[in-house]
Amino acid sequence: MSDATPTGVLPSFREAFSSPARLRTEVLAGLVVALALIPEAISFSILAGVDPRVGLFASVTMAVTIAFTGGRPAMISAATGAVALVIAPVMAEHGLEYLIATVLLAGAIQVALSLVGVARLMRFIPRSVMVGFVNALAILIFAAQIPHLVGVPWLVYPLVAAGIAIMVFFPRLTTVIPAPLVAIIATTVVVVAVGWSVPDVSDQGELPTTLPSLMFPDVPLALDTLRIIGPYALAMALVGLMESLMTAKLVDDITETHSDKTREGWGQGVANLVTGFFGGMGGCAMIGQTMINVKESRARTRLSTLLAGVFLLILVVALGDIVGLIPMAALVAVMVMVSVGTMDWHSVHPRTLRLMPFPETLVMLVTVAATVWTSNLAIGVILGVVTAMVMFARRVAHMTTIEKVAELDTNHDGSVDTRTYRVRGELFWASSNDLVYQFDYADDPEHVVLDLSEADIWDASTVATLDAVQHKYAAKGKTLTVVGLDGASQERLERLSGRLNATGAS
């Protein structure tokens, strides 16, 4: 029997044990991710203004919990920069207890939002926004490594280059062992053996020496507390959900499978609740570490996610002294390769840019620029979607046409009795606003027919515009008859016509 999972089918947890090769891949992938999580979690802890232990324990509990509750196998969730930015003001102004309360409330909000179907909104995110999201992510991952390359001993640079070289060429020899793990071990052994003095993991912050324990935030259970933490919790919930669902969709594309976004949403909420009760700072899907797990290490099941959390706990609590010796150059090399692998190079190739419609390119650029400028993937995605909506509305609006029908109905004495206008296209707020100015009110005959057999009415703005046209003709003693509608368009016109304030009826 084949060990491969059929295309489109999510691998189960049991799939990790289907063969020694698959099990080895999942275990080693979890170890690589755990090593890469340590400096990231410490950095995000500093960004949030909390002790490094808070971020490290959050990464442990998030990874372990989401391995059981999430809807996207092989995706990594931990403490993230996006969440750290949102909750940092709570820590600065009110302290750790209120921060933990914020994390718990955010988790509850994520569960509630997911249960009412917020994940279904993912269908409204166009491909150009996804491409911008991926490219912005690659830029942010690379930019995050720059501080580790500035003002450091010169030995750091050859170490980074060596790490990159290992990850490029080692897979040509064998793919049994993940190249990032080889790079980390090799550079660490060389640095320790030779005795080079370069920045290492221990320089990033103190590692914990005890296990996390259950706690409940010591805050007043009052409305004033809700007023303080409510806005931050809502922002954290939305940012975390958006980043997690976008990451899940990205992994879906890479693995050619379709994950349960609703389950992933409430799974993230449950993970944040668990994290809060263990005194963690909360988090969401980590795109960089997920790419290490899925693309670089080729993991596909929940076992890699679970082991990432378990290994992280073991590494920082039991093996902290050894982990502290890992040179930051090794981890920088890993993240540089992740950024290169994450970038959609095809989307920025000159030939692609020449062929791609300008609105699509603009949406991608807006998403990238907004994300990189704010360092917030959620803001970039929102602005990208808004730009896509505006460009779509503008394009559809310009596809609407109105013409005078050449043939005119005449009376027996030869006088013109009826003029017919024919409208083609989709009528909504963007395309119908100028409709009122397209008629020859003064010179048209007494009877005017508006043929909408090749058009559809989509909103109240269009009905209001038609009312305005009818009022203008009525003011000149003429009648307007609308024909050609059926179905929902006809029902919408009958239900709303005459009940709206007709604009432009002057």
Side-chain angles (χ1 to χ4, degrees), residues 315-350:
L315 288 171
V316 299
V317 174
L319 303 174
D321 291 339
I322 297 175
V323 171
L325 298 175
I326 297 174
M328 286 302 299
L331 299 176
V332 168
V334 171
M335 297 311 293
V336 167
M337 288 301 295
V338 168
S339 69
V340 171
T342 302
M343 187 78 176
D344 186 344
W345 296 103
H346 176 73
S347 69
V348 295
H349 192 280

Side-chain angles (χ1 to χ4, degrees), residues 13-259:
F13 192 88
R14 235 179 307 180
E15 181 76 18
F17 302 92
S18 61
S19 70
R22 170 49 55 191
L23 179 60
R24 180 174 58 248
T25 297
E26 299 295 320
V27 172
L28 293 178
L31 178 57
V32 173
V33 171
L35 290 169
L37 274 172
I38 295 172
E40 296 278 314
I42 294 174
S43 299
F44 297 146
S45 299
I46 295 171
L47 182 60
V50 299
D51 188 281
R53 296 177 181 84
V54 177
L56 288 166
F57 286 153
S59 296
V60 170
T61 52
M62 286 290 297
V64 171
T65 306
I66 205 67
F68 296 99
T69 63
R72 173 64 261 177
M75 198 165 80
I76 304 298
S77 293
T80 61
V83 168
L85 286 171
V86 172
I87 61 177
V90 181
M91 181 64 192
E93 297 173 19
H94 303 283
L96 182 62
E97 299 291 336
Y98 278 86
L99 182 143
I100 300 303
T102 302
V103 173
L104 291 172
L105 180 57
I109 293 174
Q110 287 179 328
V111 171
L113 289 175
S114 299
L115 292 178
V116 299
V118 71
R120 287 194 291 269
L121 296 177
M122 285 295 295
R123 74 183 68 176
F124 296 107
I125 297 180
R127 179 186 178 279
S128 51
V129 173
M130 274 299 300
V131 172
F133 168 80
V134 169
N135 291 343
L137 167 65
I139 294 171
L140 288 177
I141 292 174
F142 183 81
Q145 311 315 310
I146 293 177
H148 300 296
L149 298 172
V150 177
V152 295
W154 69 269
L155 286 170
V156 168
Y157 304 112
L159 284 172
V160 171
I164 292 174
I166 290 173
M167 284 181 283
V168 170
F169 296 108
F170 186 79
R172 300 183 184 182
L173 300 176
T174 178
T175 56
V176 172
I177 303 175
L181 180 60
V182 176
I184 292 171
I185 294 175
T187 52
T188 303
V189 169
V190 169
V191 168
V192 173
V194 179
W196 287 339
S197 179
V198 293
D200 54 30
V201 170
S202 64
D203 296 327
Q204 303 301 302
E206 185 180 357
L207 299 178
T209 56
T210 59
L211 295 174
S213 58
L214 281 170
M215 64 166 291
F216 190 83
D218 184 17
V219 296
L221 298 177
L223 193 58
D224 286 341
T225 301
L226 183 61
R227 288 196 194 100
I228 293 172
I229 68 174
Y232 297 105
L234 179 60
M236 175 183 165
L238 293 176
V239 168
L241 274 180
M242 187 173 297
E243 190 160 342
S244 298
L245 295 178
M246 291 288 286
T247 304
K249 191 173 188 302
L250 178 60
V251 178
D252 286 354
D253 293 340
I254 293 171
T255 60
E256 297 182 350
T257 55
H258 180 70
S259 59

Side-chain angles (χ1 to χ4, degrees), residues 402-409 416-423 438-439 444-453 473 479-484:
I402 181 170
E403 64 174 341
K404 290 181 182 179
V405 177
E407 298 79 13
L408 303 176
D409 294 331
V416 177
D417 181 61
T418 303
R419 164 81 69 187
T420 299
Y421 290 86
R422 181 174 294 125
V423 178
Q438 306 300 312
F439 299 90
D444 277 343
E446 293 182 4
H447 302 293
V448 179
V449 174
L450 184 59
D451 182 1
L452 299 180
S453 57
Y473 276 116
T479 60
L480 174 71
T481 304
V482 178
V483 299

Side-chain angles (χ1 to χ4, degrees), residues 223-433:
L223 193 58
D224 286 341
T225 301
L226 183 61
R227 288 196 194 100
I228 293 172
I229 68 174
Y232 297 105
L234 179 60
M236 175 183 165
L238 293 176
V239 168
L241 274 180
M242 187 173 297
E243 190 160 342
S244 298
L245 295 178
M246 291 288 286
T247 304
K249 191 173 188 302
L250 178 60
V251 178
D252 286 354
D253 293 340
I254 293 171
T255 60
E256 297 182 350
T257 55
H258 180 70
S259 59
D260 187 340
K261 306 299 188 299
T262 297
R263 176 175 172 179
E264 183 60 42
W266 67 254
Q268 292 286 337
V270 172
N272 273 309
L273 285 169
V274 172
T275 298
F277 283 124
F278 277 96
M281 60 181 277
C284 60
M286 288 195 80
I287 306 166
Q289 271 63 27
T290 297
M291 291 300 99
I292 292 175
N293 198 43
V294 174
K295 291 193 74 172
E296 302 295 329
S297 303
R298 306 181 313 283
R300 291 294 182 269
T301 75
R302 300 182 193 281
L303 180 62
S304 60
T305 306
L306 173 63
L307 291 179
V310 173
F311 283 146
L312 178 60
L313 184 63
I314 295 172
L315 288 171
V316 299
V317 174
L319 303 174
D321 291 339
I322 297 175
V323 171
L325 298 175
I326 297 174
M328 286 302 299
L331 299 176
V332 168
V334 171
M335 297 311 293
V336 167
M337 288 301 295
V338 168
S339 69
V340 171
T342 302
M343 187 78 176
D344 186 344
W345 296 103
H346 176 73
S347 69
V348 295
H349 192 280
R351 184 172 180 273
T352 304
L353 294 175
R354 284 195 302 270
L355 295 175
M356 190 68 63
F358 175 73
E360 301 288 327
T361 301
L362 179 62
V363 170
M364 181 194 73
L365 292 176
V366 168
T367 305
V368 171
T371 302
V372 173
W373 181 262
T374 63
S375 297
N376 191 319
L377 290 164
I379 292 177
V381 170
I382 291 172
L383 290 179
V385 170
V386 170
T387 303
M389 291 169 60
V390 172
M391 299 303 291
F392 175 78
R394 182 175 179 273
R395 186 164 61 251
V396 173
H398 288 167
M399 294 171 64
T400 302
T401 61
I402 181 170
E403 64 174 341
K404 290 181 182 179
V405 177
E407 298 79 13
L408 303 176
D409 294 331
T410 58
N411 294 322
H412 64 278
D413 59 0
S415 62
V416 177
D417 181 61
T418 303
R419 164 81 69 187
T420 299
Y421 290 86
R422 181 174 294 125
V423 178
R424 295 184 177 90
E426 306 305 313
L427 297 175
F428 64 110
W429 54 268
S431 60
S432 64
N433 280 340

